[in-house]
Amino acid sequence: MLITTTPTVSGFEIVEYKDLVFGEVIQGINVVKDFAAGITNFIGGRSVSYEGELEKARKGALNEMQRRASDIGANAIVGVDIDYEVLGTNNNMILVTASGTAVVIR
């Protein structure tokens, strides 16, 4: 399935608009990764543990959106947008939402 942030797909014609599709993932950060990120925050640098969790959540949201588009007969998703939020009492959860328009291209 082709997934793009653009409203059209170069070289293809959109022959049918199906529906809006979404993929949502809420990913918790465990205590060990939270502790490691806290140390990185103190000394500076990149937080590889948080980056890994964010990547896993983003891939999950895109996969869920793709599955939902496929379920309604689409073969592409256009106009994709990805949003990130932090949740939880200690901001130790990540919400990733992917959304777009499921279409049929030819």
Side-chain angles (χ1 to χ4, degrees):
M1 176 167 301
L2 196 135
I3 300 174
T4 181
T5 58
T6 61
T8 60
V9 182
S10 181
F12 293 90
E13 175 188 9
I14 296 176
V15 295
E16 183 180 359
Y17 288 85
K18 291 291 196 175
D19 203 353
L20 293 174
V21 286
F22 300 88
E24 302 92 2
V25 170
I26 298 175
Q27 184 81 29
I29 307 297
N30 69 38
V31 173
V32 174
K33 289 182 182 177
D34 201 30
F35 178 75
I39 292 172
T40 302
N41 188 37
F42 182 73
I43 62 174
R46 292 174 62 170
S47 175
V48 176
S49 58
Y50 274 4
E51 287 175 358
E53 292 299 319
L54 186 59
E55 180 180 358
K56 189 180 349 176
R58 182 178 56 248
K59 285 181 179 179
L62 288 169
N63 287 339
E64 181 68 19
M65 181 182 64
Q66 183 176 344
R67 183 191 61 75
R68 289 177 176 163
S70 181
D71 287 351
I72 60 173
N75 64 357
I77 306 170
V78 297
V80 172
D81 181 53
I82 300 174
D83 292 313
Y84 303 90
E85 303 270 343
V86 290
L87 303 172
T89 55
N90 296 321
N91 292 329
N92 59 352
M93 300 183 86
I94 302 167
L95 166 65
V96 179
T97 304
S99 60
T101 303
V103 299
V104 176
I105 58 174
R106 175 176 43 176

